[in-house]
């Protein structure tokens, strides 16, 4: 396996190459306004650092959110285009699941916990997990005051609202290396991942105006 993984569902633009056993190269940059500008150069950089030609890749894994529309679509469209051009399967990964995997492998979490990322509008995208890292609730989008999260919480959204998530800690954003670890393990176990389709969880800000008057030529 030679898996290319990337995610643009959070303010981070992150990409990695994984050989089915370990991460060969990874890049990570937080810049919420430049996902479209940064993603392809970041992908090219990790391929070069890993010494992998894109034509040798076997799979692509992409974070499908939940996340804001503008950033999230950059990763999904890029994954679809690369998959089509290279003839590769594209596997979707819930970004919250990848952060949960990261929190357990890097942060040493034990016991149930909640992952929350910033959804803006004073809301968070969240999901809860058991001690084995299996998702038990979510993903959903809610105001923090409406939640009863697990005692432990991670993610940028949790850190923004300490009254709801006391003692929250990192990781704030997803790492493509850990997303790749998660995807590789799921594929090796024969478990299907998600389609390359966005988890927006709410309607976009832009709406088709209602009640407008049609003007027809005389």
């Amino acid at each position: 396996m030679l898996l290319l993984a990337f995610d643009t569902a959070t303010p981070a633009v992150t990409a990695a190459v994984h050989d089915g056993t370990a991460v060969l190269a990874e890049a990570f940059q937080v810049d919420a306004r430049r996902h479209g500008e940064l993603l392809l150069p970041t992908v090219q950089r990790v391929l070069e650092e890993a010494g992998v030609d894109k034509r040798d890749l076997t799979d692509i894994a992409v974070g499908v959110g939940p996340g804001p529309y503008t950033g999230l679509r950059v990763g999904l469209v890029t994954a679809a285009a690369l998959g089509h051009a290279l003839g590769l399967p594209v596997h979707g990964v819930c970004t919250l699941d990848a952060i949960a995997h990261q929190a357990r492998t890097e942060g040493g979490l034990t016991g149930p916990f909640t992952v929350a990322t910033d959804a803006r509008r004073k809301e968070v995208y969240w999901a809860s997990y058991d001690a084995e890292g299996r998702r038990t609730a979510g993903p959903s989008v809610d105001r923090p005051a409406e939640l009863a999260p697990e005692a432990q919480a991670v993610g940028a959204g949790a850190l923004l609202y300490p009254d709801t998530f006391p003692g929250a800690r990192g990781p704030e954003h997803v790492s493509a290396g850990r997303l790749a670890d998660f995807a590789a393990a799921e594929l090796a176990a024969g478990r299907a991942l998600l389609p390359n389709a966005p988890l927006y969880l709410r309607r976009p800000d832009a709406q088709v105006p209602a009640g407008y008057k049609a003007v027809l030529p005389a």
Side-chain angles (χ1 to χ4, degrees):
M1 171 184 285
L2 277 175
L3 172 74
L4 171 65
F6 48 87
D7 189 288
T8 58
T10 75
V13 177
T14 179
V17 177
H18 197 287
D19 68 359
T21 301
V23 175
L24 303 182
E26 180 177 8
F28 179 96
Q29 182 173 348
V30 176
D31 193 330
R33 297 180 180 273
R34 298 174 64 212
H35 290 83
E37 180 181 345
L38 294 173
L39 181 56
L40 282 176
T42 301
V43 166
Q44 185 60 37
R45 183 161 74 252
V46 296
L47 288 171
E48 291 173 355
E49 290 178 2
V52 170
D53 188 293
K54 62 180 178 293
R55 290 166 292 189
D56 295 328
L57 293 170
T58 61
D59 298 86
I60 295 172
V62 61
V64 297
Y69 176 78
T70 303
L72 182 54
R73 66 179 177 176
V74 171
L76 301 181
V77 170
T78 300
L82 287 174
H84 178 74
L86 300 172
L88 300 176
V90 177
H91 311 283
V93 175
C94 174
T95 300
L96 300 177
D97 290 353
I99 296 175
H101 174 73
Q102 183 174 345
R104 293 186 70 248
T105 56
E106 295 181 354
L109 277 180
T110 58
F113 62 99
T114 294
V115 176
T117 59
D118 183 16
R120 304 171 188 171
R121 306 186 196 171
K122 298 182 180 180
E123 295 179 329
V124 293
Y125 298 117
W126 67 274
S128 290
Y129 300 82
D130 65 17
E132 302 303 316
R134 294 182 292 257
R135 188 168 3 120
T136 57
S140 299
V141 58
D142 291 288
R143 290 184 177 272
E146 298 170 351
L147 301 178
E150 300 292 352
Q152 300 181 99
V154 301
L159 291 165
L160 278 174
Y161 301 99
D163 290 344
T164 299
F165 304 99
R169 53 176 167 160
E172 291 188 49
H173 308 306
V174 67
S175 149
R178 302 290 75 77
L179 188 150
D181 275 340
F182 178 83
E186 292 295 290
L187 292 171
R191 291 188 286 268
L193 292 170
L194 299 173
N196 182 29
L199 292 172
Y200 290 134
L201 301 189
R202 66 185 179 200
R203 297 177 64 83
D205 292 329
Q207 301 289 334
V208 176
Y212 61 87
K213 187 184 236 183
V215 178
L216 299 176

